[in-house]
Structure formats: C-alpha cells, structure tokens
Amino acid sequence: MNILFLTLSSVYIALLLFIPSLTQPIMALFKTLPIGLLIVMVIKGRSQLQNRTFITLLFALSFSALGDVLLALDTGQLFIGGLAAFFVSHAFYIITMLPIKNWRLDVLLLYLFLAIIVFCLFYPNLNDMLIPVIFYMLVLTIMASLTWMTDKSNGFLVLGGAVFVISDSILGLNRFYLEIAHADIAIMITYYIAQFFLINGFINHHSNK
C-alpha cells in the first residue's frame, strides 16, 4: 500500500513536471488519487482504530480531497473554497487528536512565531483574503502543535504536522509574496508526505495499542 501511494504521488508530480498542459479535470483526478488511497488505508485499518478516530480521519481526508479538486480547478474564484475545505480537514485532524495529554507551550509558541513571520511577508498582498488566511493559519498552527501534545503523539504525527506547515507556507508565499520556481512541485511533495505521515501516525498508534 505504501509503495502504491508513492507511485500515485510520483505520477501526479511527474505530470506537473512534464505534462502540465493536461486539462484541469484530469489533473484534479490524478491529484486526488493518493488521498483516495489513504482513505482506503483508513478503511482497511478500521478494526485497529477507535470508532471516532475512524470517522474523523475519513472526514479529514475527504475534505482534503475536496480542497485538492477545488485548488486544481482554481481559476481565481475557487481558492477560498479550497482554503475552506482544508480548514475543515485540519479541524477534523484536531478532533482526532483530542484529548490533549501534555500541553507544550514551547511548541505552540514556536509554531506561532513561524506563522507570524510568514504572515508578515505576504500580509500586504492579502486584501480580501486577510480574514480567511488568518483563520486558516490559526487552525493549521493548532493542528501542527497538537501533534506533540495528543496522547496519540509519535514521530509520524509530529513530522506530518511539521511538513504540512512547510507545504502550506510555500503555497502562501508563492501566491501572496513572490513567485517561487517549481513551487507546485515542492508544495505537492511536502503535502503528500504530510498526509502520509499523519495517517500512518494515527494508524500506528492504534496498532501498537
């Protein structure tokens, strides 16, 4: 299953590199296939997961897939819809990580500090996107911080949260600050890694229990 995920992710990234002129619906389809496979992995591991975890992970991945489609089809108007979909996805990841076992103020302050730095860079260009971006960065910061604090915390979860922050930071800087060469490739590589680590972190936690 892991090899198949790597293959599907690599196929989409190869399409971005070598055949970016494919129609948006086709690109959207290939973009969501790796997330679809993660949904299959969650369904396959249902017997190892708590019922709440199973349901919240399905919602988190489903809204991620929706966000992928909206961003892949984005001609300018759908970006906020994609942002909203990922906001909901992070909210479900947060619910999955409850209850909190060990509050880590140092981790929260570190992620907040990084978020403020990135936000200050693209703040002048946000305009009407100011409020949606603030709320999105807040929920992303909480999600990444909680990977350290949940009773399910493990290396996969911590890395997944951190790499998700990196992926979305590249996306935000590329869209609102300055154009980054091959940003789409960097965004998708880190995005797929983040989702893979998060899902495996939750599954491995329950498997070990």
Side-chain angles (χ1 to χ4, degrees), residues 125 170-184 187:
N125 299 315
I170 297 171
L171 188 155
L173 290 170
N174 182 65
R175 190 175 185 97
F176 299 113
Y177 182 59
L178 57 81
E179 188 172 334
I180 301 172
H182 303 298
D184 53 347
I187 291 166

Side-chain angles (χ1 to χ4, degrees), residues 5-207:
F5 178 85
L6 176 62
T7 301
L8 292 176
S9 303
S10 299
V11 167
Y12 178 69
I13 292 167
L15 291 177
L16 286 176
L17 274 171
F18 303 114
I19 322 178
S21 59
L22 282 176
T23 63
Q24 287 180 324
I26 293 177
M27 292 297 283
L29 172 63
F30 279 99
K31 185 179 184 180
T32 56
L33 285 178
I35 304 304
L37 182 62
L38 291 181
I39 291 175
V40 173
M41 288 174 59
V42 170
I43 294 173
K44 185 177 179 181
R46 179 174 186 176
S47 61
Q48 301 172 336
L49 299 171
Q50 295 176 349
N51 190 52
R52 189 193 72 174
T53 300
F54 172 72
I55 293 172
T56 54
L57 287 183
L58 286 184
F59 274 114
L61 289 171
S62 296
F63 276 96
S64 290
L66 174 60
D68 286 335
V69 171
L70 292 174
L71 293 181
L73 300 177
D74 180 32
T75 56
Q77 297 85 358
L78 295 178
F79 180 79
I80 192 167
L83 197 69
F86 277 107
F87 179 95
V88 176
S89 175
H90 288 312
F92 276 111
Y93 275 135
I94 290 171
I95 294 171
T96 309
M97 286 186 274
L98 298 177
I100 303 307
K101 177 183 179 182
N102 179 32
W103 289 98
R104 292 285 303 272
L105 184 60
D106 56 334
V107 172
L108 180 59
L109 290 176
L110 175 60
Y111 273 120
L112 279 174
F113 176 71
L114 295 174
I116 290 171
I117 291 176
V118 173
F119 177 78
C120 288
L121 291 176
F122 54 66
Y123 167 75
N125 299 315
L126 287 177
N127 302 318
D128 293 341
M129 292 296 298
L130 176 62
I131 301 302
V133 167
I134 287 176
F135 275 99
Y136 181 80
M137 293 186 72
L138 182 61
V139 75
L140 175 64
T141 299
I142 293 171
M143 186 280 289
S145 299
L146 291 188
T147 61
W148 289 80
M149 307 179 202
T150 175
D151 60 349
K152 304 172 182 64
S153 182
N154 56 55
F156 278 118
L157 280 185
V158 169
L159 285 173
V163 179
F164 224 130
V165 169
I166 293 172
S167 180
D168 282 348
S169 296
I170 297 171
L171 188 155
L173 290 170
N174 182 65
R175 190 175 185 97
F176 299 113
Y177 182 59
L178 57 81
E179 188 172 334
I180 301 172
H182 303 298
D184 53 347
I185 306 299
I187 291 166
M188 293 312 301
I189 289 175
T190 50
Y191 168 69
Y192 286 140
I193 290 173
Q195 293 279 26
F196 180 80
F197 279 170
L198 286 173
I199 295 304
N200 274 277
F202 287 117
I203 292 177
N204 285 352
H205 166 75
H206 289 284
S207 297

